[in-house]
Amino acid sequence: MSDSKIVIVVFRWLYNKLRHTRIMTQNMRSPGNGLLGHVARSVMSQGNELVSQDAAERLDIKTGECVLEVGPGNGHGIEKILSYKPSKILGIEISDSYRKSLENKFENPNVVILANDAKELKNVVPDSSVDKLLAVNVVYFLEPLESYVNEFYRIIKKGGEGIIACKFHGVASFDDSVAVNKDIDFVTSSFEKGGFSVSHANVDLGSDFSKYTAITIKK
């Protein structure tokens, strides 16, 4: 077994041992620069790649559209979004370590990485300026969810839409004080109350690790 595969196995073991703890859940929300931050980034890189690409494809992005991704993490979603030639990609990333790696990875004037909290974008994202929105494995951490829903509704154009990709089964054991939105009915009803038309579909990409729920929101 190669050294890189050994590291992955060790990180996976640590994650499974600590996934229910508050500190591990905090690192899954916003990876730090320590060991658990490295573990979180490794786990999310493996678990989010196919999901991010599939969810971005479901958005049916058109050339010239503005796309905003909440929590782009390792950048798998941005890579897929770029293939559709959007006019601009906004990446809202609260993790300092992720922001630095994203800025190094995407030296593209059409890709803008921002440190803002996604519920406070008024100073950087105008009303009704975003065509498509993507959020992969982040909705659990958005507290209060209502504030984020209202901000998404403000920035998305009339007729625009988003994909909220979730693995509710995967976060069931996460610390409840950090991962506060684990119930699909609460999440979907929150977006409906915020003015969105909401639907969802269960997606199976071939493995338990890549199964997810795609929640579609339309304004």
Side-chain angles (χ1 to χ4, degrees), residues 167-179:
K167 297 181 183 178
F168 292 108
H169 61 286
V171 301
S173 65
F174 280 16
D175 184 273
D176 292 340
S177 66
V178 181

Side-chain angles (χ1 to χ4, degrees), residues 40-59:
R41 285 192 294 274
S42 175
V43 169
M44 286 190 280
S45 180
Q46 296 175 65
N48 289 349
E49 182 173 3
L50 291 179
V51 174
S52 295
Q53 293 172 350
D54 184 80
E57 186 174 349
R58 288 171 184 272
L59 276 174

Side-chain angles (χ1 to χ4, degrees), residues 15 19 48 51 135-142 145 163-176 179-191 198-203 208-217:
Y15 169 72
R19 65 188 300 173
N48 289 349
V51 174
V136 177
N137 282 329
V138 298
V139 75
Y140 334 111
F141 308 114
L142 305 184
L145 182 54
I163 295 286
I164 314 298
C166 312
K167 297 181 183 178
F168 292 108
H169 61 286
V171 301
S173 65
F174 280 16
D175 184 273
D176 292 340
V180 295
N181 306 313
K182 300 180 183 180
D183 181 75
I184 186 172
D185 292 332
F186 174 74
V187 172
T188 55
S189 65
S190 294
F191 279 98
V198 182
S199 61
H200 70 274
N202 293 322
V203 182
D208 288 340
F209 210 52
S210 60
K211 291 179 180 178
Y212 77 102
T213 300
I215 299 174
T216 301
I217 58 172

Side-chain angles (χ1 to χ4, degrees), residues 59-135:
L59 276 174
D60 191 26
I61 299 164
K62 302 293 192 300
T63 300
E65 289 189 326
C66 176
V67 184
L68 183 145
E69 182 171 9
V70 181
N74 290 289
H76 298 307
I78 292 178
E79 288 176 341
K80 185 67 174 181
I81 293 167
L82 278 171
S83 69
Y84 298 108
K85 297 180 173 54
S87 61
K88 179 182 288 188
I89 300 174
L90 299 172
I92 311 301
E93 182 54 67
I94 62 171
S95 168
D96 181 62
S97 61
Y98 265 149
R99 280 199 310 277
K100 289 177 180 176
S101 65
L102 288 167
E103 288 166 356
N104 291 331
K105 185 174 185 177
F106 299 106
E107 295 183 355
N108 185 318
N110 293 332
V111 178
V112 180
I113 307 300
L114 301 169
N116 299 61
D117 190 305
K119 68 173 182 252
E120 299 171 349
L121 300 174
K122 287 188 177 180
N123 62 327
V124 290
V125 185
D127 295 357
S128 302
S129 61
V130 171
D131 295 284
K132 303 288 169 63
L133 181 145
L134 178 65

Side-chain angles (χ1 to χ4, degrees), residues 22-35:
R22 180 179 174 81
I23 190 171
M24 188 71 249
T25 304
Q26 287 174 328
N27 274 277
M28 294 301 287
R29 175 181 180 271
S30 177
N33 293 310
L35 175 61

